[in-house]
Amino acid sequence: MSTHDHEASTSRHVLDVRGMTCTSCAARVEKKLNRLDGVTASVNYATEKATVEAPAGLDPQTLLDTVAATGYSASVRDPHQRHGAGHDGHDMGGMHHSGLHGAASMKRRAIVSGLLTVPLVVLSMVPAAQFDYWQWVALALATPVVVWGAYPFHSAAWTNARHGAATMDTLVSVGVLAAYLWSLWALFLGDAGMVGMTMRLSWTGGGHDEIYLEAAAAVTTFVLAGHYLEADAKHRSSAALRALMDASVSRTDIAVGDRFTVRPGERIATDGVVVEGASAVDESMLTGESVPVEKVVGDRVTGATINASGRLVVEATAVGDDTRLAQMARLVEEAQEGKADVQRLADRISAWFVPAVIALALATFAGWWIVGGELEPAFTAGVAVLIIACPCALGLATPTALMVGTGRGAQLGVLIKGPQVLESTRVVDTVVLDKTGTVTTGRLSVAEVRPADGIDEAELRRVAASLEHPSEHPVARAIATLAEPGEVADFANHAGFGVTGVVDGHEAAVGRPTWLRERGVEVPDVDGVAVEWDGVYRGSITVSDTVKPSSAQAVRDLRELGLEPVLLTGDARATAEAVAAQVGIDRVEADVTPEDKLRVVHELQASGHTVAMVGDGVNDAAALAAADLGIAMGTGTDVAIEASDLTLVEGDLATAVTAVRLSRSTLRTIKGNLFWAFAYNVAAIPLAAAGLLNPLVAGLTMAFSSVFVVTNSLRLRRFTA
């Protein structure tokens, strides 16, 4: 079947999927959709979208029903709606912040739960604070946390249970409810509700007069905080796409064929062709080219680029979704959709861990009841198993390390977006570096002055600086700094070509070599701009942006971390290779477009490399999103920052080294936390099942595992670059 026939027989649908709380949710939806005849689906948890290739005759409602049968809800995105917006115009990408697991909801629940949990923990753990009937105050504090604060986890756990699955939400819900229900039993049916009740420690037996409300509340609060960090990062990512699309349609009154005027300093409203005037246009946000591009009649211009000098009249050739900026937004979105999200270790293990713990608790209860014939010790042992297996340490393992690591990162100028980022830093072997604004400053300066034979360089500098001083062109402003400018008579700016004037009685010109040749001057093949006076070529000047002082050392440090650097730029090859030589990079990809940058990343990945991309502009956004690890300069555009995984606040490449080291250290801490959290369960659960630990001791050991995890995470505060 030809490609055309295949496209005619299939249709592409994008579904906004709501209710997913982890990557295993996305995997179940994807598996369910792929079971439909002729359907190929890819579900991305990070963007909460399903991209589906289905037979042309398939009713989209079938897809929605299939998602619903998995326990989630979905809607078909209108193919004509703007990317990043839902049917009602609100954000549908990233986390649905108005839902149970959304950023706003999680933040509100975490704050309220925290305010209730702090006094509850003090009341439960400090004997001097345990006044008469304190336990009932503890119950009043814990109940809103367990019922309302933890409701998202209970809801998700119930949904997962109805579909035969278990996730981190299941672990949290089971642990919280076990501690809470045991406390209710002890308060209402045991002796824990009596006046004068205090916590008593005994290794075996008892348990009917002990409560574990603080454990239930603490688990809920910490896990809520972790979910909020994740939800907030995902919501901010979708906001960047909306901002990019807003920029592409900032003028709604322009139609194809309309003409509009662009004055110096203004943004070009939409894609078009110049029909009148000449100017230099700053296209760095799209191409990465540091030097503004000269535009004359007949040249094409791109919407959202900046007119740097002269007046232009432009005829619109594309508007809205057809503009180049809008196409780049789609590139970013598609790259994000195809980027696999790293499966959390806890979610992978919880698929068997939770059912196993529940089965063991039931078996413990049944075994003690059958053998001993008494309900109380059987129930005590069964609940001890559940409490000892309560995922407090497991739930804290990732968010505490992440919070400490990201906090330390912020102090060092590194912003880490989420735990899924950390795995990538461990396996990356290639780092692609955008040149302008990343390796170099992005500010123009004179790179080289080459006087012709017999010409005094000081005189060449003075004539060129004098001629360029009256001009507002960015290249002219750089050349004007070469020397103290002198008086210029009969100055003329030939937009797009160069300048002329009379300096010290000599008619002189600075401009494009081809332009000077057209004026009858014999100019050799040179880079940069050429200078002549009295009709004779006197030399050339090359202008480029300067290398950042820290770039060379940063490249060496990246190599020490096992990363091979590649320089990527829209600049000419000669300029790019000169910069690469200064900083010690061997491989250079020059004269590349944003699409080419994405292609280079894909080619490296196809050849077996795990790729990190460092960039700062809109032109880097698609490559940043497609890379295994995207690192954005904080001095760059919002879209580049939000398309990335790590952000370097100071815009210094040396901070990228710090970012990789800190991320790897944080990942090691998380893995260590998870190991000890599970090791604790492996060691303690058999003791609880054997009746050697009452629920209070189980709660204390569970609390100890949490203290260990938190303490281990706090070591990251001492991380140094």
Side-chain angles (χ1 to χ4, degrees):
M1 179 183 293
S2 68
T3 301
H4 176 76
D5 292 338
H6 174 74
E7 291 176 351
S9 61
T10 62
S11 57
R12 184 176 184 269
H13 304 281
V14 178
L15 310 182
D16 291 307
V17 184
R18 291 175 290 279
M20 296 188 297
T21 60
C22 64
T23 51
S24 59
C25 300
R28 289 201 302 278
V29 175
E30 183 175 299
K31 183 177 180 181
K32 197 80 169 180
L33 287 170
N34 282 322
R35 286 179 178 174
L36 297 175
D37 291 338
V39 170
T40 302
S42 175
V43 181
N44 190 299
Y45 165 60
T47 60
E48 288 195 330
K49 284 186 296 187
T51 304
V52 183
E53 293 286 343
L58 182 68
D59 185 355
Q61 186 61 43
T62 302
L63 302 176
L64 303 183
D65 293 341
T66 301
V67 174
T70 315
Y72 309 95
S73 61
S75 58
V76 180
R77 173 171 293 184
D78 185 340
H80 300 294
Q81 79 180 58
R82 289 167 53 190
H83 292 254
H87 296 291
D88 57 358
H90 298 293
D91 170 48
M92 296 297 285
M95 183 63 74
H96 296 274
H97 61 284
S98 61
L100 288 176
H101 280 69
S105 175
M106 284 293 171
K107 181 179 181 180
R108 183 170 58 254
R109 292 174 191 271
I111 290 174
V112 174
S113 297
L115 292 174
L116 294 172
T117 298
V118 170
L120 171 60
V121 170
V122 172
L123 198 58
S124 301
M125 304 301 292
V126 180
Q130 295 173 358
F131 51 85
D132 290 346
Y133 297 116
W134 68 269
Q135 62 271 44
W136 298 103
V137 175
L139 178 62
L141 291 170
T143 299
V145 178
V146 172
V147 175
W148 176 77
Y151 177 72
F153 310 124
H154 303 324
S155 176
W158 173 245
T159 299
N160 293 328
R162 288 191 294 112
H163 295 86
T167 66
M168 174 68 86
D169 290 314
T170 309
L171 290 172
V172 174
S173 180
V174 169
V176 167
L177 289 177
Y180 184 74
L181 293 175
W182 169 264
S183 299
L184 290 182
W185 180 83
L187 284 169
F188 289 98
L189 300 178
D191 297 332
M194 302 297 291
V195 62
M197 175 266 188
T198 57
M199 293 286 199
R200 297 196 306 273
L201 176 62
S202 62
W203 290 100
T204 61
H208 60 282
D209 58 350
E210 306 292 353
I211 57 176
Y212 313 100
L213 297 170
E214 78 288 348
V219 169
T220 299
T221 301
F222 280 111
V223 179
L224 279 170
H227 275 255
Y228 163 68
L229 291 177
E230 181 181 358
D232 184 59
K234 288 161 66 177
H235 176 60
R236 285 187 283 107
S237 295
S238 66
L241 275 180
R242 292 199 307 275
L244 178 57
M245 292 305 301
D246 288 342
S248 70
V249 292
S250 58
R251 287 285 299 275
T252 59
D253 57 331
I254 297 177
V256 174
D258 288 352
R259 295 188 176 188
F260 56 94
T261 301
V262 188
R263 295 175 178 81
E266 291 183 344
R267 288 187 181 274
I268 297 173
T270 192
D271 295 0
V273 60
V274 178
V275 295
E276 183 182 325
S279 181
V281 175
D282 181 358
E283 295 185 335
S284 59
M285 69 174 296
L286 291 173
T287 65
E289 174 65 54
S290 55
V291 179
V293 179
E294 301 290 348
K295 299 291 183 180
V296 295
V297 173
D299 287 344
R300 292 189 174 275
V301 292
T302 303
T305 56
I306 300 174
N307 180 17
S309 53
R311 174 181 175 274
L312 295 175
V313 177
V314 178
E315 182 175 305
T317 57
V319 297
D321 288 343
D322 296 326
T323 63
R324 190 178 185 194
L325 193 62
Q327 292 168 358
M328 290 182 65
R330 287 193 289 273
L331 276 177
V332 174
E333 190 172 37
E334 289 168 5
Q336 288 178 335
E337 289 174 3
K339 184 178 182 180
D341 199 25
V342 179
Q343 173 66 54
R344 287 186 179 183
L345 294 177
D347 276 332
R348 286 202 296 264
I349 298 174
S350 65
W352 60 264
F353 178 72
V354 175
V357 168
I358 294 175
L360 180 59
L362 292 174
T364 299
F365 173 79
W368 276 88
W369 194 7
I370 293 172
V371 173
E374 295 184 12
L375 181 61
E376 182 177 319
F379 188 73
T380 299
V383 170
V385 169
L386 283 176
I387 291 180
I388 204 75
C390 177
C392 187
L394 187 59
L396 293 172
T398 295
T400 54
L402 181 61
M403 283 188 285
V404 178
T406 53
R408 181 57 179 154
Q411 293 175 331
L412 299 173
V414 178
L415 303 181
I416 304 172
K417 286 198 173 177
Q420 71 278 3
V421 173
L422 307 177
E423 186 73 31
S424 298
T425 65
R426 182 179 62 85
V427 296
V428 163
D429 57 35
T430 303
V431 57
V432 176
L433 304 174
D434 172 59
K435 182 184 77 68
T436 306
T438 301
V439 177
T440 62
T441 62
R443 295 186 296 272
L444 296 182
S445 63
V446 174
E448 187 177 8
V449 178
R450 296 181 298 276
D453 292 341
I455 301 301
D456 180 58
E457 181 176 331
E459 184 178 12
L460 177 66
R461 285 171 173 264
R462 189 179 63 82
V463 172
S466 299
L467 269 179
E468 295 286 24
H469 182 69
S471 175
E472 293 298 321
H473 193 286
V475 173
R477 288 197 293 269
I479 294 176
T481 63
L482 285 174
E484 186 69 27
E487 294 294 329
V488 179
D490 299 329
F491 173 81
N493 182 14
H494 304 268
F497 301 101
V499 295
T500 58
V502 178
V503 180
D504 297 337
H506 300 282
E507 291 187 359
V510 179
R512 292 183 178 185
T514 54
W515 177 60
L516 293 185
R517 293 188 190 107
E518 292 173 358
R519 292 170 56 88
V521 180
E522 293 185 7
V523 179
D525 186 14
V526 295
D527 292 328
V529 297
V531 184
E532 65 89 7
W533 60 81
D534 295 336
V536 179
Y537 169 73
R538 309 291 179 167
S540 65
I541 301 171
T542 301
V543 174
S544 66
D545 54 350
T546 56
V547 174
K548 293 180 179 179
S550 61
S551 292
Q553 183 60 49
V555 169
R556 289 192 291 270
D557 291 340
L558 288 170
R559 278 205 167 98
E560 289 181 2
L561 290 171
L563 307 180
E564 184 62 30
V566 177
L567 188 67
L568 193 64
T569 179
D571 281 355
R573 177 160 291 277
T575 301
E577 289 181 345
V579 171
Q582 290 185 60
V583 299
I585 297 177
D586 300 323
R587 178 172 176 178
V588 176
E589 297 284 345
D591 295 309
V592 295
T593 65
E595 293 81 2
D596 291 332
K597 291 186 176 185
L598 181 61
R599 173 185 54 77
V600 169
V601 170
H602 283 156
E603 287 177 352
L604 287 169
Q605 291 170 327
S607 62
H609 294 288
T610 304
V611 181
M613 168 72 189
V614 186
D616 71 332
V618 174
N619 59 303
D620 304 317
L624 285 167
D628 300 285
L629 178 67
I631 304 176
M633 293 294 186
T635 51
T637 65
D638 289 342
V639 174
I641 291 171
E642 297 301 348
S644 67
D645 303 306
L646 292 170
T647 299
L648 312 181
V649 176
E650 298 298 327
D652 189 337
L653 186 58
T655 316
V657 179
T658 301
V660 173
R661 288 173 175 164
L662 175 61
S663 297
R664 290 180 176 179
S665 181
T666 305
L667 178 64
R668 286 194 298 270
T669 300
I670 289 175
K671 288 188 173 182
N673 287 348
L674 291 171
F675 170 79
W676 288 110
F678 281 110
Y680 142 81
N681 278 300
V682 170
I685 287 177
L687 295 176
L692 299 177
L693 295 177
N694 74 12
L696 174 59
V697 175
L700 289 174
T701 55
M702 178 189 67
F704 173 77
S705 70
S706 301
V707 170
F708 175 84
V709 164
V710 172
T711 303
N712 190 45
S713 299
L714 289 175
R715 293 188 304 112
L716 289 169
R717 293 189 302 181
R718 298 191 296 273
F719 175 87
T720 57

